[in-house]
Amino acid sequence: MVRNSAGTSAFQVGCRALISLLLASSATAAVAASVTDAMIANDQNTPNDVLTVGMGYSGQRFSSSTKINSDNIDDLVPAWSFSMGGEKQRGQETQALVNDGKIFITGSYSRIWALDQKTGQKIWVYEHRLPEGIVPCCDVVNRGAALYDNLVIFGTLDAKLVALNADTGKVVWTETIDDFKGGYSYTAAPLIVKGKLITGVSGGEFGVVGRIEARDAKTGKLVWMRPTVEGHMGYLNGKENGISGKVNATWPGDLWKTGGAATWLGCTYGADTNEIYCGTGNPAPWNSYSRPGDNLYSTSTLAINADTGKIDWSYQSTPNDSWDFDGVNEFISFDMKKDGKTVKAGAKADRNGFFYVLNRENGKLLSASPFVTKQTWASGVDLKTGRPIESNNRPGDPGKGEKGSSVFAAPAFLGAKNWMPMSYSGQTGLFYVPANEWGMDIWNEPITYKKGAAFLGAGFTIKPLYDDYIGALRAIDPATGKIVWEYKNPAPLWGGVMTTAGNLVFTGTPEGFLKAFDAKTGKELWKFQTGSGVVGQPTTWEMDGEQYIGVASGWGGAVPLWGGEVAKKVKDISQGGSFWVFKLHKSGKAAVAQVSP
């Protein structure tokens, strides 16, 4: 055996070189797998991965991919499907994330999977152990996760945050958002902004206090917290950072202490403004006579400085809300061309039935247009004051021990648009909004706050407005507020929308279909029956030169739980729990591979 002057054999030298090479390759692979701030900021422009729920900071849900397009969509077929398994079904509202050969999906009952991107085989699963006594308002759903470094992070129904190793599924850190026994829970997808994990809270129907939090994404340590009910103190690095608004300015007595305004849908981010845009839910209780005043910052859009956690501007869409018109719907940044000028704008299709366009730099109202056919609560919005022009349509003031007079109001409290996210295409200049046409009988009742108990003070029954349809996918021109085209669906629409540069719009229906439409004309081009209602969020990615479409299937959400007469119309829809992946057909390879856990 040949040795060098140090007494080391050539074989040993070779082994050490090989080990060094392997270690270097391993380190390189680890770096490649690590999700950085720069990658997240560029997510909308990288078709080979999906790093954010919303497919980019702005939440436009637009893909630049064109391999699947309006000319070849007829050839789209299933590639594989993954069963979420067992008896844990209910609503599946997740959006998939894709990175480093893995697909990450969350499921009902606070579960999350990592799947092999090519085959759909399970790599790992984490099933959160939920305690007795959780009180989720509107089904046991989860809407997605966040990726950062080598972590995948999601929230749970018992109001916790869990960070897992993306390769192994092992827990890296956990943090408690708040006490689930007090009505808190968490169902939204977190957002990563400059290394910080941005989260909110669910539980507005239980008298919680809404807030936005920023944590160090690697450790879970709290950086800042901003309450979304006026009168509560914010914090930055463990120190007081000023109250939100002013105590008792728009809230009477002590009601601000249980004021609701839950931030249950998550946020978007404007990198050019350094603002985190978050919507807030209804004030608590629903009975508005118990809380005279505007009740800031409920039913609002907030612009929060990403570094300081302070509110830079706010816009309230439904002051002194009496109909449960949560303002949580996503605020999507876009550049609007109007009258020869380009405006830094943001749009929001509100639960109250108006499509709002604001200046995203200062919150100034630019327009507010109806996107449903009937709004009994207001005849319009005053563009000078930004306030709604209210009709006389509030439910009556309840007497002691008696319910107040009932009114018929539209939209229903489940909203002209509920949680299901719309999308925006810079190619067409249109927003694609999943709307619903329904109304409700609503009345107020006496109510007293009790920790962890429902805090409504109202009763209701939802009714469809029309015999032939409830759901309507509508393409809206934000510059004019006009509806360019619409697709009507018999059952409510409850899933997200995605657009692509291939001139396509994707969304699902409770009847079980994933559908594709021509983005310019609204013509239905393709559909596939998934076996259960689709209330998930479609997304797309490219791999090995091919484009893929993925969506979760599994009927549930608020409609079957709260939908009144509408719930009766959809009671026979089968539950399920599957993640479907589609690609263009290749001869002899069209058969779907069913993959179980």
Side-chain angles (χ1 to χ4, degrees), residues 280-558:
T280 64
N282 59 283
W286 288 18
N287 177 3
S288 61
Y289 292 94
S290 67
R291 43 174 175 76
D294 284 353
N295 310 138
L296 292 176
Y297 291 90
S298 67
T299 58
S300 297
T301 301
L302 307 183
I304 301 173
N305 184 281
D307 299 321
T308 68
K310 288 199 171 185
I311 298 172
D312 286 337
W313 60 256
S314 67
Y315 176 77
Q316 189 173 43
S317 44
T318 314
N320 192 231
D321 175 29
S322 193
W323 308 270
D324 188 35
F325 287 156
D326 290 32
V328 296
N329 291 8
E330 67 284 353
F331 182 79
I332 296 180
S333 298
F334 73 110
D335 292 335
M336 182 174 69
K337 295 181 179 179
K338 187 174 183 179
D339 301 328
K341 298 180 180 179
T342 299
V343 181
K344 288 187 176 182
K348 180 178 187 176
D350 200 277
R351 197 149 145 173
N352 68 18
F354 287 100
F355 184 88
Y356 295 90
V357 180
L358 307 177
N359 183 311
R360 69 174 181 265
E361 294 182 294
N362 55 31
K364 180 183 177 182
L365 178 64
L366 302 177
S367 65
S369 309
F371 66 95
V372 286
T373 62
K374 192 168 186 176
Q375 292 160 296
T376 62
W377 75 280
S379 60
V381 178
D382 187 323
L383 295 184
K384 292 183 179 179
T385 65
R387 298 181 68 87
I389 304 168
E390 271 203 43
S391 307
N392 185 22
N393 191 233
R394 288 179 179 264
D397 189 358
K400 292 184 178 180
E402 299 178 0
K403 75 176 187 178
S405 58
S406 176
V407 298
F408 181 79
F413 76 90
L414 286 179
K417 187 179 93 66
N418 199 276
W419 81 274
M420 53 280 192
M422 63 183 180
S423 67
Y424 172 74
S425 168
Q427 283 189 331
T428 63
L430 301 178
F431 279 86
Y432 301 91
V433 181
N436 288 307
E437 298 278 5
W438 43 24
M440 63 180 171
D441 292 322
I442 183 170
W443 58 91
N444 285 324
E445 300 171 343
I447 187 68
T448 301
Y449 173 76
K450 182 181 178 182
K451 181 180 178 179
F455 192 43
L456 299 184
F460 46 81
T461 301
I462 292 182
K463 301 176 180 179
L465 293 181
Y466 305 108
D467 292 333
D468 58 334
Y469 80 102
I470 300 173
L473 178 64
R474 290 180 169 135
I476 297 176
D477 183 342
T480 64
K482 293 183 178 180
I483 297 172
V484 177
W485 60 257
E486 68 177 1
Y487 156 78
K488 295 179 179 179
N489 194 71
L493 294 181
W494 208 254
V497 183
M498 175 185 69
T499 56
T500 75
N503 189 39
L504 294 171
V505 180
F506 289 87
T507 196
T509 73
E511 293 90 344
F513 289 104
L514 176 65
K515 293 192 173 188
F517 303 86
D518 186 296
K520 296 175 183 176
T521 68
K523 180 181 178 182
E524 184 178 315
L525 301 176
W526 174 89
K527 66 180 179 180
F528 179 83
Q529 175 58 251
T530 66
S532 183
V534 178
V535 295
Q537 306 165 62
T539 192
T540 186
W541 62 91
E542 293 183 14
M543 177 179 61
D544 298 334
E546 295 183 283
Q547 183 182 352
Y548 293 78
I549 308 291
V551 71
S553 169
W555 172 238

